Amino acid sequence: MLKIEHIGIAVKDLEKSNEVYAKLLGKPQYKSELVESENVDTSFFQIGESKIELLGATNEESAIAKYLDKRGEGIHHLAFAVENIEAEVERLKAEGFQPISEKPKRGADNKLVFFFHPKTTNGVLIELCQEIK
Ligand code: ZN
């Protein structure tokens, strides 16, 4: 793993939260991106080497909508940058971490992403992400 790439935060109202985080961090988001396949709308803020990803649901089918219903707003996942996502996924599966999907897929911010279940990581949803070159 290379670094903490970003921290994902689930929010109810993305536009309002963009303002809140722009105030908090002293600068606006550098990118907003709709991930239609996941029913998620995102905004990214750069903080040094790491980012904050705000996640809003676009409809009730969204995993974010379900998360908000169950747990309310807050930290949703921790994302680690990796060089070789396939290799890292295999390594973590072999270590007994529970994967959420079959294989890496395209996520926001030009990344291949893969998730591990919070059940096996002390309650934290873990994302691996690899920049698509
Ligand atoms: Zn993420």
Side-chain angles (χ1 to χ4, degrees):
M1 308 237 185
L2 301 172
K3 63 175 182 182
I4 292 180
E5 215 281 334
H6 63 268
I7 294 170
I9 299 174
V11 305
K12 283 184 188 152
D13 183 330
L14 191 60
E15 251 172 72
K16 270 190 196 155
S17 300
N18 281 340
E19 287 172 26
V20 170
Y21 275 79
K23 263 187 222 161
L24 178 72
L25 302 171
K27 55 181 167 185
Q29 77 265 28
Y30 69 89
K31 183 193 266 191
S32 296
E33 190 177 340
L34 184 65
V35 186
E36 258 185 301
S37 57
E38 301 291 323
N39 305 307
V40 171
D41 210 0
T42 67
S43 302
F44 287 89
F45 296 78
Q46 185 83 44
I47 310 297
E49 281 218 321
S50 303
K51 298 164 188 164
I52 299 288
E53 174 185 32
L54 300 183
L55 302 148
T58 56
N59 61 45
E60 284 306 307
E61 293 306 302
S62 169
I64 296 301
K66 287 168 190 155
Y67 182 91
L68 289 169
D69 278 350
K70 223 164 119 184
R71 303 178 65 171
E73 294 185 299
I75 293 182
H76 177 260
H77 65 271
L78 200 54
F80 296 103
V82 298
E83 231 154 26
N84 182 338
I85 197 164
E86 310 276 352
E88 207 60 21
V89 164
E90 288 315 311
R91 185 180 74 80
L92 294 180
K93 278 188 193 167
E95 293 285 4
F97 294 102
Q98 187 189 320
I100 285 183
S101 48
E102 284 285 301
K103 52 182 180 179
K105 56 184 170 183
R106 189 178 260 274
D109 203 29
N110 195 40
K111 300 274 196 302
L112 279 175
V113 301
F114 191 91
F115 289 90
F116 283 93
H117 201 283
K119 240 194 295 195
T120 50
T121 53
N122 299 93
V124 182
L125 175 63
I126 299 293
E127 174 184 341
L128 301 184
C129 57
Q130 180 189 332
E131 184 111 41
I132 298 170
K133 285 171 189 158

